[in-house]
Amino acid sequence: ANNAQVQSYAFTHSNVAGGKHYYRIYQTDADGKSVYSNVAEAIIKQAPVNVRLLSNPVSSSAQVEINTTSAANASIELLSLSGAHISLQQQGLGAGTNTLQVAMGNLARGNYLLKVTVNDVVQVLQVSKL
């Protein structure tokens, strides 16, 4: 380091999977010298439910991936942006990764909401229909 001042750094690792992760900083000083920091270990607890769209925008159906730590029941409600109900799909899930299809082929182009409920966890995703 070029001076004795304490420096602080912040980084947010978004959408990180559960488990052990290792991080370090590569620092380059004003004089061009570089050094790696010590390795820091972070143990991230896996969320009981994680939901994501596998593709967006979609043409005929939306693929929704739901990861759960245990078997559960899922409810996927397709809504207009104004909140009007379009369809409801209920599905039993096994522990681990589950991929579900939500039919959208008969809908007009535009943006829609998928409200996914697994046990007491609710996530709302926006999906665009081509």
Side-chain angles (χ1 to χ4, degrees):
N2 289 339
N3 60 48
Q5 288 182 327
V6 174
Q7 298 293 320
S8 62
Y9 301 89
F11 174 76
T12 301
H13 190 170
S14 300
N15 299 320
V16 65
K20 286 185 182 181
H21 297 270
Y22 301 92
Y23 300 92
R24 65 181 177 173
I25 296 171
Y26 182 72
Q27 175 181 314
T28 302
D29 293 335
D31 63 5
K33 292 182 181 177
S34 299
V35 63
Y36 283 100
S37 70
N38 292 331
V39 174
E41 177 183 274
I43 299 174
I44 308 297
K45 288 185 177 181
Q46 183 172 338
V49 177
N50 188 2
V51 180
R52 71 181 183 123
L53 285 171
L54 294 181
S55 61
N56 196 13
V58 302
S59 56
S60 61
S61 66
Q63 286 190 323
V64 180
E65 182 181 87
I66 304 173
N67 288 302
T68 63
T69 55
S70 60
N73 291 314
S75 169
I76 303 174
E77 188 174 6
L78 181 61
L79 306 165
S80 69
L81 287 182
S82 65
H85 172 83
I86 298 170
S87 69
L88 176 66
Q89 181 176 331
Q90 296 186 334
Q91 179 76 41
L93 305 174
T97 302
N98 300 266
T99 303
L100 307 175
Q101 303 287 330
V102 178
M104 297 183 69
N106 61 340
L107 299 176
R109 291 181 182 204
N111 293 314
Y112 297 88
L113 299 174
L114 287 173
K115 180 181 175 183
V116 180
T117 305
V118 180
N119 297 334
D120 294 332
V121 178
V122 177
Q123 292 187 31
V124 178
L125 308 168
Q126 184 170 324
V127 60
S128 297
K129 165 73 167 59
L130 296 177

